[in-house]
């Protein structure tokens, strides 16, 4: 699959099977994330955690769901959650842009491999608001979660946006 086809194939998945992705595919996805553009080339300010431990995933899901009553599951049953942690950079808030670049690379690589994904924000808050989760993940002092992406295989067919049309209005200033 070429890059544009992978971008068109990528969509947000809101329901995963429990089938785990292969170690080789996970390594390829994490490698793609590590190739992302990072502000000031400050790669040492970032860490990537691949979470596949069911107990830890459940704890992250439960902590993340606290802000929304009912039986909501913010991880959508994904068997893998990639967590990005960062310490504050010399460029204020650049860590969130870095996370966006890293996660987008990983989601496009996942689509290329036939793996579904979704960029999650609620789990970032669930992790950062739970010191026990931060400890279980092993974040170094001064690091916080700046983004997460769930990976796996879609449980059922969900409506998808068409990938062959421009979705955002573009203005050319020439």
């Amino acid at each position: 699959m070429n890059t544009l086809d992978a971008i068109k194939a990528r969509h947000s998945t809101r329901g995963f099977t429990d089938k785990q992705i292969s170690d080789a595919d996970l390594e390829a996805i994490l490698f793609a994330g590590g190739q992302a553009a990072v502000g000031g080339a400050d790669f040492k300010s970032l860490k990537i955690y691949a979470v596949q431990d069911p107990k830890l995933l459940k704890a992250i899901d439960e902590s993340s769901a606290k802000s929304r009553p009912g039986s909501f599951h913010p991880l959508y049953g994904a068997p893998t959650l990639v967590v990005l942690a960062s310490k504050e950079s010399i460029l204020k808030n650049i860590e969130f842009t870095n996370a966006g670049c890293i996660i987008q690379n990983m989601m496009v690589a996942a689509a290329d491999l036939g793996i579904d994904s979704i960029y999650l924000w609620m789990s970032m808050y669930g992790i950062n608001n739970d010191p026990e989760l931060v400890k279980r993940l092993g974040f170094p002092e001064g690091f916080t979660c700046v983004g997460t992406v769930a990976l796996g295989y879609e449980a059922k067919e969900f409506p998808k946006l068409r990938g062959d049309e421009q979705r955002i209005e573009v203005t050319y200033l020439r």
Side-chain angles (χ1 to χ4, degrees):
M1 182 179 304
N2 72 41
T3 304
L4 290 177
D5 288 339
I7 289 169
K8 290 177 187 178
R10 203 220 66 77
H11 63 278
S12 292
T13 298
R14 290 181 174 83
F16 292 89
T17 68
D18 58 1
K19 179 182 174 189
Q20 189 56 268
I21 64 176
S22 74
D23 289 347
D25 286 344
L26 180 58
E27 288 295 321
I29 291 165
L30 297 174
F31 180 81
Q35 298 304 302
V38 168
D42 188 12
F43 297 100
K44 291 186 189 237
S45 70
L46 296 154
K47 301 219 178 275
I48 299 174
Y49 298 83
V51 181
Q52 295 181 318
D53 175 346
K55 290 179 184 175
L56 185 52
L57 288 169
K58 183 177 186 219
I60 293 169
D61 190 64
E62 289 173 354
S63 179
S64 302
K66 286 180 182 174
S67 65
R68 191 169 175 182
S71 60
F72 180 65
H73 293 282
L75 302 188
Y76 300 106
T80 297
L81 181 71
V82 177
V83 176
L84 296 171
S86 181
K87 60 184 177 180
E88 194 171 307
S89 178
I90 56 170
L91 302 169
K92 186 158 178 61
N93 294 322
I94 195 73
E95 58 270 18
F96 296 103
T97 300
N98 292 339
C101 291
I102 293 165
I103 288 173
Q104 183 66 19
N105 271 18
M106 289 191 291
M107 291 189 308
V108 171
D112 185 54
L113 296 168
I115 296 168
D116 298 300
S117 64
I118 186 167
Y119 194 150
L120 299 170
W121 276 89
M122 285 185 75
S123 53
M124 178 180 69
Y125 295 113
I127 291 167
N128 287 334
N129 290 320
D130 189 332
E132 181 60 30
L133 282 178
V134 170
K135 182 179 176 182
R136 286 176 70 184
L137 285 162
F139 289 5
E141 183 70 31
F143 278 71
T144 61
C145 181
V146 292
T148 63
V149 61
L151 301 167
Y153 299 97
E154 196 167 49
K156 63 179 183 176
E157 191 69 25
F158 285 89
K160 296 173 185 64
L161 297 173
R162 292 181 45 152
D164 57 355
E165 59 190 41
Q166 177 56 277
R167 296 183 217 165
I168 301 171
E169 181 180 327
V170 177
T171 301
Y172 294 94
L173 306 170
R174 296 181 174 156

